[in-house]
Amino acid sequence: MQDCQVNELQQHVQLMMEKNNAKQEVILKLSEQVAACMADPQRTVANSMGTETFCRLHEKIEHLKDDIEAHKIQNKFLNSEIYQLTKLWRNSSEEKGLLMKTPLSRATYNCYTWRG
């Protein structure tokens, strides 16, 4: 019976030693990663998120930059169109005003010339 308990305890100790070794390996790898990240900050992002995720985010950022550039170009174009339409509208309003004044001027002129 004691042999059985001793055997169980030995197995338990062996299991604990294996767990301890695995934990020490993890700690060692993490320490190496921290040291590498401190040396190269760009690497921090890639390693902490995974290369695939980092690439996807980088691709998404590039698409967003393209979208921003497209919006800027579109905005310039629309501002130019608004400017041109405003200019046409003003010219049209001025012409309309002149056309409205012309018959009145003619009527006034005709009125004065008829009297005289």
Side-chain angles (χ1 to χ4, degrees), residues 55-111:
C55 288
R56 274 194 235 132
L57 283 175
H58 184 69
E59 191 175 305
K60 208 177 226 183
I61 288 170
E62 289 303 314
H63 286 302
L64 289 172
K65 285 180 182 178
D66 288 344
D67 289 347
I68 288 171
E69 192 60 33
H71 279 56
K72 284 180 181 178
I73 291 169
Q74 185 179 31
N75 190 37
K76 284 180 184 178
F77 172 76
L78 291 174
N79 284 339
S80 167
E81 289 292 305
I82 289 170
Y83 174 76
Q84 293 297 325
L85 288 172
T86 303
K87 198 170 154 183
L88 288 172
W89 178 76
R90 283 185 185 150
N91 289 342
S92 171
S93 295
E94 288 173 8
E95 285 178 17
K96 200 177 206 179
L98 289 174
L99 289 175
M100 294 296 280
K101 287 180 183 179
T102 303
L104 183 60
S105 298
R106 282 188 187 154
T108 307
Y109 176 76
N110 287 339
C111 186

Side-chain angles (χ1 to χ4, degrees), residues 10-37:
Q10 284 178 341
Q11 287 176 351
H12 189 66
V13 166
Q14 182 66 30
L15 182 65
M16 291 295 185
M17 287 174 63
E18 287 173 8
K19 282 183 179 181
N20 189 32
N21 286 338
K23 287 179 181 181
Q24 285 180 356
E25 285 177 26
V26 169
I27 289 170
L28 183 61
K29 284 181 184 178
L30 289 174
S31 297
E32 288 171 357
Q33 285 180 357
V34 167
C37 289

